[in-house]
Amino acid sequence: MFQLINPIWLYAIGGISIPLIIHLWNIKKGKTLKIGSISLLGESSRQSARSLKLIDLLLLFLRCLLLIILALIFAGPIWNSKINTAVNKGWLLIEKENLTETYTKFKSEIDSLNSLGYEFHYFEPGFELAKLRGALKEMTTEKGSEVLLPYWSLIKLLDDKIPQNTKAVIFTPNRLNRLGAERPVISKQLSWKTYTPSDSTATWIENAWFSESDSVKVTIASSSPVGTTYKTVTIDPADKNSSFAIDIQNGNASLKFKDICQGDSLPVIIDTATIRIAIYTDKFKSDAGYLKAAIGAIQKYTERKIKLSEFSTMNIPSGQNIIFWLSESAIPSGIIPLNSLFVYEKGKLEQVSSRLKLSPAISNTEKGDIDLYKRISYSEPGGRGFPVWEDGYGQPILDLQMKNKLSVFHFYSRFNPDWNELVWSDDFPKALISIIIPEQNVSEMHPSDKRIANQTQIKPVFINDNAQPSDKNPESQKSLKDQFWLALVVIFLLERYLTFRNNLI
């Protein structure tokens, strides 16, 4: 289809009136014929003989055509042609891990797609092509790849693997723990169908540790599609009637359920270590008092083996798991904890009237906020690390930076009621648990987690998210300027030739 990019230039075609007027103005006058006698001529009115030769009309046409073509060149002539985008046979993708159950849930839809010519591929790395009927008959095992990539990672791989103009229809369970950490950005056509699997409940041991009384504390998780709950129980290692089995190998004690049907039978290492915590107070002696009280509450609640030491000098012995550096002085290079370092940041003091935002999973206060009065200015434009606590303006109050295997927490306030209300809050010990006992935090991605995700949560990000895929074939545009310039040159040469020839006559 012929189109113009700037059709306003068509007004320039009006310029053909110029050669038209010139041609009409320059029509040759007739010649006077002299005769010997005029007696036989009547008194008719004087007439002039005028002639308009065919060659003049051709020149007029060519000159007008030159102006028309020039106007069209400025208007940007293009040719739109339909691209043959007949959609290739689609891909039908199902996990090998859940093939039978998935097929049962979507039997009619899967059969319909299969009959339409959709190729069946396993939804796992490589996207192996297979025959659906043959795959369903192989009932000896339904285990897929040993490496179960998150769904979002597979979606990203699929976007690179699948041919252009090929639709993909994916059928999977809606497990939240299978999604992944990063939502993919894709460009291919994709439809994702999910369902809730039949095995919708699970129980497992989240973690276990020896308490001060040498009993074993166990955190048990119970998961269902609506959520996961946790409870902590105490067991006696010498109790043979316990539902747990303790095994010791290579000096490590592990714990698991005796009855496989009762829960996940994977063993969990029992933590026997003592957590050594050092607090360097410097001039912040009162801050250390609030911190020690919170750590004491954590120790009482978890019954973990914690050894807490306070230092007013920099002679801190090695082997400390965690160091709270409540000082604005630089940390000597020789003082390095094994796991975590908590540092008071120094800088410009700001008086603020804001809120300190902890994680909603930690805080029981309204909106998870705590009054914030003072803070140290956060001068890092791109952020020093991952924000853990924030103020009401989204600026980090506590951020986390990983240096090799050391977790470094930068605190832009103080453990002092003149700075914030954190030290008076019941959430203070809870907020510190993630620093002192990171494994105490419940796992978000346990393999047995049965929580489900809705369609909004699993939806990938499309590059053209606002433009839905169209069934119409797209068009390709080809510029016609070169062809029009060629025509212009040819017509100009022809016009010059005819003009030169006309002048010779």
Side-chain angles (χ1 to χ4, degrees):
M1 181 188 300
F2 179 77
Q3 288 186 350
L4 298 173
I5 298 177
N6 301 307
I8 193 172
W9 280 99
L10 293 179
Y11 286 111
I13 295 177
I16 65 174
S17 60
I18 297 175
L20 183 62
I21 293 173
I22 293 175
H23 274 69
L24 293 177
W25 185 268
N26 290 328
I27 293 178
K28 295 180 179 180
K29 295 182 179 180
K31 296 180 180 180
T32 303
L33 181 63
K34 296 181 180 181
I35 58 176
S37 176
I38 60 173
S39 60
L40 299 176
L41 298 176
E43 295 293 328
S44 60
S45 61
R46 181 177 294 179
Q47 296 180 351
S48 297
R50 297 173 181 269
S51 64
L52 188 61
K53 296 181 180 180
L54 179 61
I55 193 171
D56 296 330
L57 292 176
L58 184 57
L59 279 173
L60 175 62
F61 172 74
L62 292 177
R63 288 166 181 170
C64 292
L65 187 58
L66 282 174
L67 293 175
I68 293 174
I69 293 177
L70 191 61
L72 289 174
I73 290 175
F74 285 116
I78 59 173
W79 183 263
N80 284 336
S81 59
K82 298 289 185 180
I83 299 176
N84 184 13
T85 58
V87 177
N88 299 327
K89 290 180 180 180
W91 281 21
L92 169 64
L93 299 111
I94 306 175
E95 277 188 297
K96 189 180 293 185
E97 183 80 8
N98 307 286
L99 178 58
T100 302
E101 183 178 15
T102 304
Y103 177 76
T104 303
K105 294 287 185 180
F106 297 98
K107 184 178 185 303
S108 59
E109 191 169 354
I110 292 174
D111 288 342
S112 176
L113 292 172
N114 193 40
S115 64
L116 290 174
Y118 275 62
E119 297 177 350
F120 170 66
H121 293 257
Y122 287 113
F123 189 49
E124 59 181 29
F127 307 104
E128 177 189 352
L129 176 64
K131 296 293 183 181
L132 179 60
R133 297 303 173 189
L136 290 171
K137 289 179 181 178
E138 295 177 359
M139 302 299 293
T140 56
T141 177
E142 289 193 355
K143 294 295 181 183
S145 171
E146 293 182 359
V147 180
L148 293 177
L149 289 182
Y151 290 150
W152 281 345
S153 298
L154 288 171
I155 291 291
K156 185 62 178 176
L157 292 175
L158 179 64
D159 191 53
D160 297 331
K161 179 77 172 179
I162 193 169
Q164 289 287 347
N165 305 316
T166 301
K167 294 182 179 179
V169 183
I170 305 170
F171 299 89
T172 69
N174 54 3
R175 292 286 189 232
L176 184 63
N177 64 345
R178 285 299 312 279
L179 285 185
E182 183 177 356
R183 191 183 300 270
V185 179
I186 63 175
S187 60
K188 305 291 178 59
Q189 301 180 61
L190 182 149
S191 178
W192 192 351
K193 312 285 186 179
T194 62
Y195 67 95
T196 302
S198 56
D199 58 335
S200 55
T201 60
T203 302
W204 68 89
I205 300 173
E206 182 66 26
N207 48 52
W209 64 94
F210 279 104
S211 66
E212 293 283 356
S213 59
D214 289 330
S215 60
V216 179
K217 306 289 288 186
V218 183
T219 299
I220 302 174
S222 298
S223 186
S224 69
V226 296
T228 301
T229 59
Y230 300 84
K231 66 177 181 179
T232 301
V233 298
T234 303
I235 64 173
D236 184 356
D239 186 4
K240 296 183 179 180
N241 296 323
S242 172
S243 57
F244 301 93
I246 297 178
D247 185 28
I248 300 177
Q249 292 184 357
N250 300 324
N252 294 323
S254 62
L255 182 75
K256 68 177 183 178
F257 286 109
K258 287 182 179 179
D259 187 357
I260 298 178
C261 298
Q262 183 177 347
D264 194 328
S265 61
L266 294 176
V268 174
I269 299 297
I270 303 175
D271 189 0
T272 60
T274 298
I275 303 174
R276 290 177 170 81
I277 303 175
I279 302 176
Y280 175 63
T281 60
D282 198 8
K283 61 181 180 180
F284 297 96
K285 187 75 174 179
S286 60
D287 294 26
Y290 295 112
L291 179 59
K292 288 165 62 178
I295 295 174
I298 293 173
Q299 184 176 18
K300 183 177 181 180
Y301 170 72
T302 63
E303 297 187 32
R304 299 295 289 258
K305 295 180 180 180
I306 297 177
K307 183 178 180 180
L308 180 61
S309 304
E310 180 180 337
F311 299 89
S312 57
T313 64
M314 295 186 181
N315 297 322
I316 300 176
S318 60
Q320 304 297 319
N321 297 98
I322 306 165
I323 294 178
F324 285 89
W325 193 260
L326 307 187
S327 172
E328 295 178 352
S329 302
I331 304 174
S333 58
I335 299 180
I336 302 176
L338 300 176
N339 304 116
S340 301
L341 176 63
F342 190 101
V343 181
Y344 270 7
E345 286 295 310
K346 65 178 181 178
K348 180 182 178 182
L349 175 63
E350 292 182 345
Q351 300 286 342
V352 295
S353 178
S354 185
R355 308 282 283 175
L356 196 159
K357 295 177 177 291
L358 306 177
S359 168
I362 294 174
S363 179
N364 291 323
T365 59
E366 184 180 359
K367 298 182 181 180
D369 295 346
I370 296 169
D371 289 332
L372 179 68
Y373 311 124
K374 299 178 184 178
R375 65 159 298 151
I376 300 298
S377 177
Y378 191 77
S379 58
E380 299 290 336
R384 174 174 295 178
F386 177 78
V388 181
W389 305 337
E390 296 179 340
D391 64 12
Y393 303 101
Q395 290 293 313
I397 293 295
L398 178 70
D399 65 15
L400 169 62
Q401 185 181 22
M402 299 301 299
K403 293 183 177 180
N404 296 325
K405 295 183 179 181
L406 180 65
S407 300
V408 182
F409 294 88
H410 304 272
F411 190 41
Y412 295 87
S413 188
R414 301 291 183 260
F415 294 138
N416 192 299
D418 292 337
W419 287 66
N420 54 67
E421 294 291 330
L422 177 63
V423 294
W424 300 126
S425 173
D426 294 337
D427 296 324
F428 187 25
K430 298 178 185 178
L432 291 178
I433 286 182
S434 61
I435 301 172
I436 297 174
I437 316 173
E439 66 273 15
Q440 186 72 20
N441 285 349
V442 296
S443 171
E444 293 293 333
M445 299 296 294
H446 193 279
S448 298
D449 198 316
K450 301 299 181 182
R451 288 176 294 172
I452 62 174
N454 57 41
Q455 287 297 121
T456 302
Q457 289 175 297
I458 71 172
K459 182 182 178 182
V461 177
F462 290 90
I463 292 178
N464 296 319
D465 201 30
N466 295 329
Q468 297 297 326
S470 174
D471 294 332
K472 296 181 179 180
N473 289 335
E475 297 179 340
S476 67
Q477 294 183 346
K478 181 180 179 181
S479 175
L480 299 177
K481 279 190 175 183
D482 292 341
Q483 290 83 347
F484 274 75
W485 276 113
L486 179 60
L488 184 71
V489 172
V490 172
I491 294 172
F492 175 75
L493 294 175
L494 181 59
E495 185 272 341
R496 288 292 87 198
Y497 169 74
L498 292 177
T499 302
F500 177 74
R501 181 183 174 187
N502 193 32
N503 291 334
L504 295 179
I505 300 176

